[in-house]
């Protein structure tokens, strides 16, 4: 399998001509990929046994239900979209880190790492679909002769 860098280069060659995207357009592209990764991360969390459907939910949600998509707090808007576990009702990010990597007392199971790796192709396809939409739009603008629609 090609590395992520090689896959991105291939995707850029395929959709060539899409440059100078606005921050909002970049956000749409990264959001498409982030939504796919979030869905797969939720499922991977459940599949790894980190979900107990019978547990009574009080103030703290299940780990799988705490996957969140959005911008990182304290960062400027640059078109990026982050995927991770929330800290709203409990520090789910910390708990997920321990379960993924392990500790002295817990055997890690790499469920986050595996979800990221297994989602690469699907994420790139979702992002490519949005980028192709922008490429078609740019072709229409440039084909009209005067640069305007």
């Amino acid at each position: 399998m090609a590395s992520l860098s090689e896959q991105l280069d291939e995707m850029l060659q395929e959709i060539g001509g899409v440059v100078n995207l606005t921050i909002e357009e970049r956000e749409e592209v990264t959001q498409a990929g982030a939504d796919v990764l979030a869905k797969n991360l939720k499922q991977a969390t459940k599949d790894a046994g980190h979900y107990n459907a019978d547990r009574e939910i009080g103030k703290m949600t299940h780990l799988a239900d705490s996957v969140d998509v959005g911008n990182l707090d304290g960062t400027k808007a640059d078109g990026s979209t982050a995927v991770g576990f929330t800290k709203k009702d409990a520090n789910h990010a910390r708990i997920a880190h321990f379960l993924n990597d392990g500790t002295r007392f817990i055997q890690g199971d790499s469920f986050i790492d595996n979800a990221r790796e297994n989602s690469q192709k699907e994420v790139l396809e979702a992002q490519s679909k949005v980028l192709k939409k922008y490429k078609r739009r740019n072709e229409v603008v440039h084909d009209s002769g005067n640069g305007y629609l």
Side-chain angles (χ1 to χ4, degrees), residues 39-106:
K39 174 188 63 113
N40 292 346
L41 186 55
K42 286 178 185 183
Q43 189 59 49
T45 305
K46 290 179 180 182
D47 292 346
H50 305 303
Y51 189 83
N52 180 356
D54 297 328
R55 182 180 75 94
E56 184 178 322
I57 298 181
K59 293 181 181 179
M60 187 167 58
T61 60
H62 285 293
L63 184 62
D65 297 331
S66 71
V67 174
D68 199 13
V69 175
N71 295 324
L72 295 174
D73 292 337
T75 60
K76 66 179 183 173
D78 63 356
S80 300
T81 306
V83 177
F85 294 90
T86 65
K87 293 177 161 181
K88 293 176 184 164
D89 55 355
N91 193 340
H92 286 103
R94 183 171 183 242
I95 295 166
H97 173 74
F98 287 152
L99 293 171
N100 185 70
D101 296 346
T103 67
R104 198 168 110 190
F105 304 105
I106 300 171

Side-chain angles (χ1 to χ4, degrees), residues 1-148:
M1 177 178 212
S3 72
L4 179 58
S5 176
E6 291 168 340
Q7 291 177 34
L8 287 171
D9 288 343
E10 183 179 315
M11 182 176 71
L12 288 173
Q13 288 293 331
E14 182 181 319
I15 58 140
V18 178
V19 292
N20 298 326
L21 295 176
T22 66
I23 289 175
E24 292 79 17
E25 291 168 337
R26 285 185 218 152
E27 284 176 350
E28 187 178 346
V29 171
T30 59
Q31 182 72 44
D35 289 340
V36 170
L37 179 58
K39 174 188 63 113
N40 292 346
L41 186 55
K42 286 178 185 183
Q43 189 59 49
T45 305
K46 290 179 180 182
D47 292 346
H50 305 303
Y51 189 83
N52 180 356
D54 297 328
R55 182 180 75 94
E56 184 178 322
I57 298 181
K59 293 181 181 179
M60 187 167 58
T61 60
H62 285 293
L63 184 62
D65 297 331
S66 71
V67 174
D68 199 13
V69 175
N71 295 324
L72 295 174
D73 292 337
T75 60
K76 66 179 183 173
D78 63 356
S80 300
T81 306
V83 177
F85 294 90
T86 65
K87 293 177 161 181
K88 293 176 184 164
D89 55 355
N91 193 340
H92 286 103
R94 183 171 183 242
I95 295 166
H97 173 74
F98 287 152
L99 293 171
N100 185 70
D101 296 346
T103 67
R104 198 168 110 190
F105 304 105
I106 300 171
Q107 176 72 35
D109 59 12
S110 302
F111 73 101
I112 297 171
D113 299 330
N114 293 338
R116 280 188 201 129
E117 186 175 320
N118 296 337
S119 298
Q120 280 185 6
K121 183 177 181 185
E122 195 176 349
V123 166
L124 288 172
E125 287 171 353
Q127 291 176 331
S128 178
K129 193 178 291 185
V130 176
L131 283 169
K132 284 178 184 177
K133 175 180 81 169
Y134 289 122
K135 180 183 179 190
R136 284 191 296 277
R137 184 196 67 195
N138 285 344
E139 288 172 349
V140 169
V141 169
H142 294 309
D143 287 344
S144 64
N146 60 6
Y148 301 101

